[in-house]
Amino acid sequence: MTASHSDSLVVLFGATAGAYGAKLGSDERELILLVWQVVDLHSKKVGTLHKSLVKADNLDLTEQCREVSGLTPEGLSKAEPLDRVLQQFSQLVSSDLKVLGRSSYTLCSDGQLLIRQVLHPETSKKNFLLSDCFYSFYDLRKEFHTCYPSSATVKDQTIKTMAEYLGLGTDETEEDFGVWQVKTMVAIIFSMLSESCDHVFTEPETVKYKYETGPCSKSETVDSETVIRARGLPWQSSDQDIARFFKGLNIAKGGVALCLNAQGRRNGEALVRFVSSEQRDLALERHKHHMGSRYIEVYKATGEEFLKIAGGTSNEVAQFLSKENQVIIRMRGLPFTATQEDVLGFLGPECPVTGGKEGLLFVKYPDGRPTGDAFVLFSCEEYAQNALKKHKEILGKRYIELFRSTAAEVQQVLNRYMSTPLIPTLPTPIIPVIPPPYTIATGSIRDCVRLRGLPYTAGIDDILEFMGDATGDIKPHGVHMVLNQQGRPSGDAFIQMKSADKAFMVAQKCHKKMMKDRYVEVFQCSGEEMNFVLMGGTLNRSGLSPPPCLSPPAYAAFQTAAVIPAEAALYQPQALLPATRTPQASAAAPPTVTYYPAQAAQLYMNYTAYYPSPPVSPTTVGYIAAPPGAVAAAATATHTPILPQPGALVRMQGLPYNTGMKEILSFFQGYQYAPDDYNGLIQLSDQTRSVLQAPKEWVCL
């Protein structure tokens, strides 16, 4: 029924249960009124004027709506729902066109808000389709400004200002709400069609039927006035979900870029690029609109931010994404030995991949090692849905995760992995703002207390308040919180007191004293017992159980704590790969700087890492990032060197769990290392690695 050069217009006006005028649709309120009339552009005749009330799901009208429209919830409760009203709209328009002897029409509305910000979003949420006529319309304000260039700007136009510019003497109070607006719009159109103007309606506004995927190159120029950042998205949302949230607005091809966190997972944000700044401004009006039960925040963003996320330079990726209108699925957790044939066999014949092997893209590190991720192209939604049904099915010995993905996510994941250095640069050195290294007490003297049953929300301040006057008897750096394997408070803490007598008094005074809504048990213990627990062992009525990270022989001989001194946080990246260390130099290196005990060859850190928590009581201790000059100054100020010199240590992150000494030495082939230090190679677990890399005010247990 519509055409690019229609012979009729359907003048359309609507109102919602909320905001009116320039804020129409910005509050997500439902449509409650539609008024329309057919105009024959050639004979300048009009059809019947129709007014339909719409029954909204929420009949609570705002004060502005009641005042402007004169409508009431009681009157709306008897109306038809939106889908029925739209069916009646199509039938009545067809009937009027038949009477006028016309066959095609295009909608004409006062601005773009009714079509883009009300009808399309609401019908999308209610899961029914709009007819084709709502994807093309004339914006009367733009057409009027084209016909009368000296009139007010498009943004400042209203039906009333346009009528006043033409000198149309209409009184808004004489007609029902909506009827006056449509009659005035028809009069304005007739003025534009007069011989003095002879305006022609030729270029309607369009609404895209669906979002088009596509690649984005870093060499492209992206206008910052067309980009927004959406925040608070459900983690499983896809580019199509985001396009649906912005239904009615035209997103640029490949203009949805889902943001990933440091682990390569979606972080609930996306950058969206629109075709124009006008569309972007309309998108900003959807700030805190809802996607399901969650509200989405919408902010301005820049073209540089969009290119950083969505832009790519890889020819392989560009070729992979060159096939347009494909559904992209991301596979995660693939076995490192998986081949293209394995993936195609896993997906099966019910979800054929576009182009076979050409529709697969494996993500790899710069040295060619697989990451376990891959992207797959499907030609239609049906095939993609069949593939998603295989989520968490087994390939080899691993379950595979499948998610909807986007072209921007493909670029982002590839950019992230391809830019990963083989030996990552170390983070900014951290200087503890404390005196020279402190140590944890050892021995059998019972000068410590153990607090058990702490509230999980308890912090250092709560413990100090709990201990009362005994706080003054705590040793410097003597408070040690204990976390479980998940990094959460375990309910335990250890306190080092100045003497065994002080520890005994605290245990007697504070045992079963209340902290918040729980009573806390307080036991006297020794520094040796405290160390075993902090190392991962257990202390209960049955006695001590060895830490899982110690082999039995090492545990039997292990009598001193494995102290990680304060200097462990002081290192210089340029000193990580020095010249060969000579035996003489090794002998001259001060033995006091050790990260692990002498029995380190028997210490397998496969469970947790020991790191004495830098206590904030009774002295407040903080950490600050230091520039290289400060690192050097701090190093020279301490009584022990940073690393055994002239050699150095390197820490390896991300080792496979089955890596042996031969693989490590092979990895460093071409570099000079100290042969006498082979027995110092210690494998670290992920939990250990995180603790050593970012020391905090906690001890993991």
Side-chain angles (χ1 to χ4, degrees):
M1 293 294 291
T2 62
S4 57
H5 297 285
S6 302
D7 44 26
S8 301
L9 294 180
V10 175
V11 178
L12 184 67
F13 177 82
T16 69
Y20 175 73
K23 289 295 182 179
L24 183 69
S26 63
D27 53 2
E28 283 190 287
R29 299 305 301 270
E30 296 171 275
L31 192 72
I32 59 171
L33 174 69
L34 275 182
V35 185
W36 69 90
Q37 187 173 31
V38 177
V39 177
D40 187 335
L41 295 177
H42 299 288
S43 65
K44 298 180 182 179
K45 295 180 179 180
V46 296
T48 304
L49 191 147
H50 301 277
K51 178 179 179 178
S52 289
L53 299 181
V54 183
K55 183 180 180 180
D57 295 336
N58 181 6
L59 294 176
D60 183 19
L61 308 183
T62 64
E63 288 298 325
Q64 182 188 26
C65 176
R66 291 171 183 265
E67 181 180 347
V68 173
S69 67
L71 299 176
T72 63
E74 292 75 18
L76 294 173
S77 63
K78 302 175 183 179
E80 297 285 351
L82 180 59
D83 54 344
R84 294 289 301 275
V85 171
L86 292 177
Q87 291 177 5
Q88 295 173 7
F89 169 84
S90 297
Q91 295 170 358
L92 292 173
V93 168
S94 298
S95 176
D96 289 343
L97 287 173
K98 189 174 182 180
V99 171
L100 295 173
R102 301 299 176 185
S103 59
S104 64
Y105 68 93
T106 303
L107 298 179
C108 180
S109 65
D110 172 34
Q112 305 198 30
L113 300 182
L114 175 62
I115 305 293
R116 295 192 185 274
Q117 298 286 70
V118 177
L119 280 168
H120 278 282
E122 184 173 339
T123 55
S124 177
K125 289 179 180 178
K126 293 182 176 180
N127 293 316
F128 61 87
L129 298 176
L130 284 171
S131 60
D132 291 346
C133 68
F134 291 97
Y135 288 86
S136 177
F137 66 97
Y138 288 107
D139 181 346
L140 183 59
R141 300 184 184 189
K142 288 186 177 181
E143 298 293 329
F144 185 84
H145 188 71
T146 301
C147 184
Y148 303 101
S150 60
S151 61
T153 61
V154 174
K155 186 177 181 180
D156 296 329
Q157 296 279 20
T158 64
I159 297 176
K160 188 173 183 179
T161 59
M162 289 187 287
E164 290 175 349
Y165 183 86
L166 296 175
L168 300 177
T170 57
D171 187 356
E172 188 174 355
T173 60
E174 292 181 357
E175 303 283 357
D176 290 340
F177 178 71
V179 174
W180 176 86
Q181 283 81 357
V182 169
K183 286 185 175 181
T184 304
M185 291 168 67
V186 171
I188 293 171
I189 291 172
F190 283 154
S191 297
M192 296 167 61
L193 295 175
S194 63
E195 294 182 359
S196 59
C197 296
D198 197 21
H199 182 74
V200 180
F201 292 84
T202 57
E203 296 182 4
E205 300 286 319
T206 59
V207 179
K208 287 188 175 183
Y209 282 88
K210 64 178 182 178
Y211 167 68
E212 297 178 277
T213 61
C216 176
S217 172
K218 284 188 178 295
S219 60
E220 287 187 35
T221 300
V222 178
D223 185 0
S224 293
E225 296 300 314
T226 63
V227 182
I228 61 94
R229 178 183 294 272
R231 182 179 298 164
L233 299 166
W235 68 268
Q236 73 272 29
S237 58
S238 66
D239 55 348
Q240 297 296 336
D241 296 321
I242 296 171
R244 185 176 182 182
F245 175 80
F246 289 109
K247 184 69 174 177
L249 306 180
N250 294 337
I251 299 174
K253 183 177 179 180
V256 176
L258 296 167
C259 301
L260 307 181
N261 60 19
Q263 289 73 42
R265 300 177 184 270
R266 297 171 186 173
N267 64 2
E269 294 188 8
L271 293 170
V272 185
R273 177 188 179 190
F274 294 90
V275 297
S276 66
S277 59
E278 179 185 33
Q279 301 285 304
R280 193 282 303 268
D281 292 341
L282 292 175
L284 292 172
E285 292 296 326
R286 300 196 187 183
H287 179 60
K288 292 196 173 181
H289 282 205
H290 289 76
M291 180 184 288
S293 60
R294 305 185 61 162
Y295 71 82
I296 308 301
E297 300 174 37
V298 183
Y299 303 100
K300 292 182 179 180
T302 65
E304 290 77 9
E305 290 176 304
F306 182 83
L307 286 176
K308 183 179 179 180
I309 298 298
T313 57
S314 171
N315 292 330
E316 182 183 14
V317 176
Q319 183 177 358
F320 176 77
L321 298 175
S322 61
K323 302 177 180 65
E324 298 183 356
N325 299 322
Q326 299 290 309
V327 183
I328 305 175
I329 297 296
R330 180 180 180 182
M331 303 181 69
R332 191 166 62 198
L334 292 169
F336 295 146
T337 57
T339 64
Q340 293 177 325
E341 290 77 9
D342 295 332
V343 174
L344 293 175
F346 172 80
L347 294 171
E350 63 272 18
C351 38
V353 178
T354 302
K357 295 181 180 180
E358 294 181 359
L360 295 176
L361 178 65
F362 286 90
V363 183
K364 299 180 180 180
Y365 289 107
D367 60 357
R369 292 180 294 120
T371 64
D373 280 28
F375 292 94
V376 190
L377 295 178
F378 295 99
S379 59
C380 65
E381 186 66 29
E382 179 185 357
Y383 295 157
Q385 288 291 347
N386 291 338
L388 291 172
K389 293 177 182 178
K390 297 181 179 291
H391 179 60
K392 290 196 174 181
E393 289 190 7
I394 303 298
L395 174 58
K397 295 182 179 180
R398 305 188 63 174
Y399 71 84
I400 311 302
E401 298 175 290
L402 289 93
F403 308 96
R404 287 182 175 275
S405 188
T406 67
E409 185 174 18
V410 176
Q411 298 279 23
Q412 193 176 171
V413 172
L414 266 294
N415 290 345
R416 181 184 302 275
Y417 281 112
M418 292 306 294
S419 62
T420 303
L422 293 179
I423 303 180
T425 56
L426 293 172
T428 304
I430 299 176
I431 299 179
V433 187
I434 55 177
Y438 58 89
T439 59
I440 302 298
T442 59
S444 59
I445 300 176
R446 300 174 64 81
D447 58 352
C448 303
V449 292
R450 179 183 185 182
L451 277 61
R452 188 170 66 185
L454 294 169
Y456 294 131
T457 57
I460 297 290
D461 294 337
D462 298 312
I463 292 176
L464 297 181
E465 182 180 354
F466 172 81
M467 296 188 65
D469 296 337
T471 301
D473 297 323
I474 300 175
K475 283 185 178 181
H477 320 300
V479 179
H480 306 278
M481 302 293 291
V482 181
L483 298 182
N484 61 20
Q485 290 180 325
Q486 287 72 42
R488 297 172 182 170
S490 66
D492 281 24
F494 286 94
I495 314 292
Q496 289 179 267
M497 307 303 294
K498 292 182 178 179
S499 67
D501 292 339
K502 299 294 184 183
F504 176 79
M505 294 298 294
V506 170
Q508 292 294 318
K509 180 180 179 181
C510 298
H511 185 58
K512 292 194 175 182
K513 180 180 174 181
M514 298 298 293
M515 180 187 293
K516 298 185 178 179
D517 57 343
R518 300 185 63 173
Y519 74 84
V520 178
E521 298 176 291
V522 183
F523 306 101
Q524 187 179 7
C525 65
S526 67
E528 181 183 18
E529 292 170 334
M530 179 182 70
N531 280 322
F532 285 136
V533 174
L534 295 181
M535 283 292 292
T538 57
L539 174 62
N540 49 39
R541 295 177 181 176
S542 302
L544 285 172
S545 298
C549 59
L550 296 178
S551 61
Y555 176 72
F558 188 69
Q559 299 299 328
T560 59
V563 179
I564 300 179
E567 289 92 344
L570 301 176
Y571 51 83
Q572 301 180 49
Q574 64 268 25
L576 290 179
L577 296 173
T580 305
R581 192 170 75 181
T582 63
Q584 293 79 3
S586 300
T592 55
V593 180
T594 55
Y595 295 91
Y596 304 98
Q599 297 86 354
Q602 295 175 314
L603 178 60
Y604 297 94
M605 305 293 284
N606 59 355
Y607 174 78
T608 185
Y610 166 72
Y611 191 91
S613 61
V616 295
S617 61
T619 305
T620 300
V621 178
Y623 285 87
I624 58 172
V631 174
T636 57
T638 56
H639 67 280
T640 54
I642 300 174
L643 294 170
Q645 298 295 331
L649 299 176
V650 294
R651 182 176 70 244
M652 301 180 67
Q653 302 182 26
L655 287 172
Y657 293 112
N658 58 352
T659 301
M661 188 181 300
K662 291 182 180 180
E663 287 79 9
I664 295 175
L665 296 178
S666 176
F667 179 80
F668 284 110
Q669 184 176 2
Y671 294 94
Q672 296 175 325
Y673 44 82
D676 58 324
D677 276 357
Y678 290 169
N679 60 357
L681 295 174
I682 301 174
Q683 295 184 352
L684 304 181
S685 67
D686 290 341
Q687 188 179 7
T688 304
R689 184 179 302 113
S690 63
V691 172
L692 292 178
Q693 182 177 358
K696 297 179 175 63
E697 299 179 2
W698 306 97
V699 174
C700 291
L701 177 60

